[in-house]
Amino acid sequence: MSLDVPPKLDNRALFIGFFKIGIMGFGGVLAIARRAMVEQWQWLTQAEFNDLFSLCQFMPGANITNFAFAFGARQGGWRGAACAVVGLLTAPIIIVLLMGALFARFATVPAVEHTVGGMAAAAAGLVAATAFKIAQPGLVTLRPACVTALAFALVIVLHVPLLGVLALMLPLSIALAWRA
Amino acid sequence: MSPLLQVTVLFGKLSLLAVGGVNATLPAVAREVVQQRHWMTAHQFSQLFAIAQAVPGPNMLVVALIGQREAGWEGGLIATAATVLPAGALVLLVSHVWQRFQGARWRQIIQRAMLPISGGLMLSAAFVLVRASDSWWLMAALTATSFFSCLRTKTHPLWLLGSGALVGYLFN
């Protein structure tokens, strides 16, 4: 049997694999998913991972659930996709809803309010850092920087609904990228 | 409309607009659930977001917390399904085309065109969260600290969230 072609994963393996990724993924699942799937389990090569992930970044929605859909489907059709996505989300959703129920119950306790408030301030900083990392490569050249600034202004300053922002910015940005 | 249906419609319509990830839709979500429907204050919105960041799993699970707050446990599940399924179905449709046109110029152009838009949307999401959570200078200092630690060091996000929680608890 050739070792070059990895055998297709069955639905059980998909569920268990993505379950592990979901439960291990603190503060962003992507890094964990890459390490587990590429390095540990060798489900796919780095290049395959990058190509599939570029699709998931490009398509709307959560990157990692999109990845579970696409990878699961390649292994086992729509059943494979379902197993991967359900595996990924089951544990985190139970945990987050438990936390949500606890918070709803104790949110008015000042100590809880202040603790979660501090956490929210830190979380805002994390999102700002991620946003900065994504936006930075585009900010050094004029045209992408204008697209970034304009998208920001449409949302924050002019309160344009998201559909309007995309309907305006996508053609503009594609036209600019086409000419570049 | 029943709360469950409202949650479904809200997140279902944003699912296919989540260019650059679910977090890119946060300003739109905040506008609907805070300003228009008054389900919660901006501060509470930022707190739910923080809780979703602190548990394992995808960050997008803040949608589950919003759904749960408005329509109970089913609301949490429905909000997640409404966020994940439309986008997932689209990925399955496009997945084959994507592989076939791996080296195509138009694919590279579209990819290049999406990036600065995602950047702008993510920056606006960050702006909304910073504005909602930084009620006084110490909170702003926490935001700045986690921003620079995340960019300049390899500190795990959980440490930053934990430190934020501790500071919030000790100095309110």
Side-chain angles (χ1 to χ4, degrees):
Chain A
M1 200 169 83
S2 165
L3 288 173
D4 295 325
V5 184
K8 286 250 180 192
L9 295 158
D10 62 19
N11 293 342
R12 199 181 134 86
L14 281 170
F15 181 89
I16 294 173
F18 276 94
F19 187 88
K20 285 184 187 160
I21 291 169
I23 201 101
M24 288 189 303
F26 276 100
V29 186
L30 170 67
I32 306 280
R34 198 200 59 80
R35 200 177 311 146
M37 295 172 71
V38 176
E39 288 167 25
Q40 274 178 281
W41 307 333
Q42 299 176 345
W43 279 2
L44 69 183
T45 66
Q46 182 66 52
E48 287 167 339
F49 182 89
N50 288 349
D51 191 58
L52 202 56
F53 192 75
S54 72
L55 166 72
C56 300
Q57 262 185 322
F58 166 76
M59 300 305 290
N63 297 336
I64 188 70
T65 54
N66 281 350
F67 192 94
F69 270 105
F71 183 77
R74 278 185 195 179
Q75 298 295 322
W78 69 269
R79 279 170 210 268
C83 286
V85 174
V86 173
L88 176 72
L89 290 177
T90 299
I93 220 170
I94 292 172
I95 296 170
V96 87
L97 290 181
L98 280 173
M99 296 298 288
L102 275 177
F103 181 64
R105 203 182 154 111
F106 296 107
T108 49
V109 177
V112 173
E113 222 280 327
H114 294 136
T115 303
V116 181
M119 210 162 76
L126 290 178
V127 176
T130 310
F132 187 73
K133 276 185 214 165
I134 293 174
Q136 198 185 22
L139 290 178
V140 291
T141 33
L142 182 64
R143 284 191 278 198
C146 289
V147 172
T148 299
L150 191 55
F152 180 86
L154 288 174
V155 175
I156 296 299
V157 186
L158 300 173
H159 304 290
V160 177
L162 192 52
L163 181 62
V165 176
L166 293 177
L168 216 65
M169 297 309 298
L170 274 175
L172 178 70
S173 191
I174 288 172
L176 289 175
W178 193 276
R179 298 183 46 162
Chain B
M1 240 195 309
S2 76
L4 212 52
L5 194 57
Q6 288 194 41
V7 166
T8 314
V9 172
L10 168 63
F11 291 109
K13 80 181 176 200
L14 289 175
S15 177
L16 293 178
L17 301 180
V19 169
V22 174
N23 279 355
T25 66
L26 284 179
V29 177
R31 192 181 303 152
E32 294 230 19
V33 304
V34 176
Q35 274 120 300
Q36 291 172 359
R37 307 183 190 200
H38 306 289
W39 287 356
M40 63 191 78
T41 65
H43 185 64
Q44 288 164 335
F45 181 83
S46 76
Q47 286 183 318
L48 290 190
F49 181 79
I51 292 171
Q53 287 263 303
V55 302
N59 300 337
M60 53 138 262
L61 285 178
V62 64
V63 304
L65 290 175
I66 296 170
Q68 181 191 31
R69 195 185 162 94
E70 204 45 36
W73 295 85
E74 313 94 296
L77 295 177
I78 288 281
T80 310
T83 301
V84 160
L85 288 178
L90 189 63
V91 166
L92 292 186
L93 287 176
V94 176
S95 165
H96 300 284
V97 187
W98 189 257
Q99 252 183 333
R100 185 141 43 101
F101 292 99
Q102 198 164 15
R105 180 161 179 259
W106 64 264
R107 193 187 119 171
Q108 290 163 2
I109 286 172
I110 296 180
Q111 267 184 284
R112 196 141 38 93
M114 304 280 274
L115 219 56
I117 301 177
S118 303
L121 294 179
M122 282 298 292
L123 285 175
S124 57
F127 182 85
V128 165
L129 288 172
V130 168
R131 191 172 51 183
S133 58
D134 291 357
S135 44
W136 58 299
W137 67 266
L138 187 61
M139 295 298 116
L142 273 177
T143 300
T145 309
S146 80
F147 175 77
F148 285 111
S149 309
C150 186
L151 282 183
R152 293 288 163 81
T153 68
K154 295 212 163 187
T155 318
H156 194 279
L158 266 192
W159 285 111
L160 299 170
L161 293 174
S163 317
L166 190 65
V167 171
Y169 175 73
L170 293 177
F171 311 92
N172 38 79

